[in-house]
Amino acid sequence: MHPGNSIIEDGKKELNYCEMLNRVLPDDIRPLAWVPVSLDFSARFSAASRTYRYFFIPTQAKTGQAFNIQSMRDASQFLIGEHDFRHFCIEHLKKFTRIVYILLRFKRLTILPNAWFLQIRGQAFLWQMVRCIVAILFAVAQRHEQPSVIDSMLDI
């Protein structure tokens, strides 16, 4: 991976792509490094897996009530493994069966007090599928749903 300002083979200085992108991207999006790929690489079709991290403070904004992290963990256990995730995508994509293997991880951040992240890794995701999964997990954490709602959504 290249953080930038490296010397390339012919002695020329490599452009610092991360710095260039970070100047124009919003503050909540930050590339840290980049990797050269072959010309036939497709981010959509060539990637072996994808990893998403959602950072959050486990407190409801409106009420100040703490998230139930254990319920969120319990619900997430239903997601691990190979499943048909069509109920976790937008309506017009539900005709596509998508069996995906997912790994999840919750971890408390050490650099920010009371901050957590949820990491979701899988081979492929339908459009907005991860966003839908996280929304359901947050509903469970806020006690609007039971952890078993995930199991029922996977039961097709």
Side-chain angles (χ1 to χ4, degrees):
M1 295 211 305
H2 302 274
N5 290 335
S6 303
I7 302 299
I8 52 178
E9 295 163 6
D10 58 3
K12 294 180 182 177
K13 192 173 181 180
E14 177 182 271
L15 295 174
N16 188 335
Y17 295 111
C18 291
E19 182 181 302
M20 293 165 61
L21 286 168
N22 285 330
R23 274 191 245 136
V24 296
L25 289 170
D27 289 340
D28 59 345
I29 301 174
R30 290 279 155 243
L32 302 176
W34 66 276
V35 177
V37 295
S38 65
L39 293 176
D40 63 342
F41 178 82
S42 164
R44 184 172 178 199
F45 298 111
S46 302
S49 69
R50 289 163 179 78
T51 302
Y52 295 86
R53 281 189 175 177
Y54 277 75
F55 294 85
F56 63 97
I57 305 293
T59 306
Q60 293 183 40
K62 291 180 182 177
T63 65
Q65 183 179 18
F67 278 19
N68 185 334
I69 296 292
Q70 188 56 51
S71 288
M72 201 173 178
R73 284 182 198 257
D74 293 346
S76 72
Q77 295 307 302
F78 292 111
L79 295 164
I80 297 172
E82 288 190 18
H83 302 286
D84 184 335
F85 286 92
R86 78 177 81 179
H87 289 308
F88 292 92
C89 66
I90 59 175
E91 193 63 37
H92 76 275
L93 292 177
K94 288 188 178 183
K95 63 185 174 194
F96 299 104
T97 300
R98 182 54 114 190
I99 297 177
V100 177
Y101 187 83
I102 287 189
L103 296 171
L104 288 108
R105 179 169 72 137
F106 288 94
K107 187 173 182 182
R108 186 185 301 260
L109 296 176
T110 56
I111 57 172
L112 292 172
N114 202 29
W116 288 71
F117 75 83
L118 163 63
Q119 180 173 299
I120 299 178
R121 183 172 187 225
Q123 324 89 308
F125 297 99
L126 292 170
W127 188 46
Q128 296 192 355
M129 186 174 125
V130 174
R131 187 175 292 176
C132 292
I133 289 171
V134 172
I136 298 292
L137 290 174
F138 278 10
V140 168
Q142 295 171 15
R143 299 165 184 86
H144 299 302
E145 295 286 351
Q146 294 297 314
S148 60
V149 70
I150 300 285
D151 192 35
S152 65
M153 291 179 74
L154 295 170
D155 185 19
I156 298 190

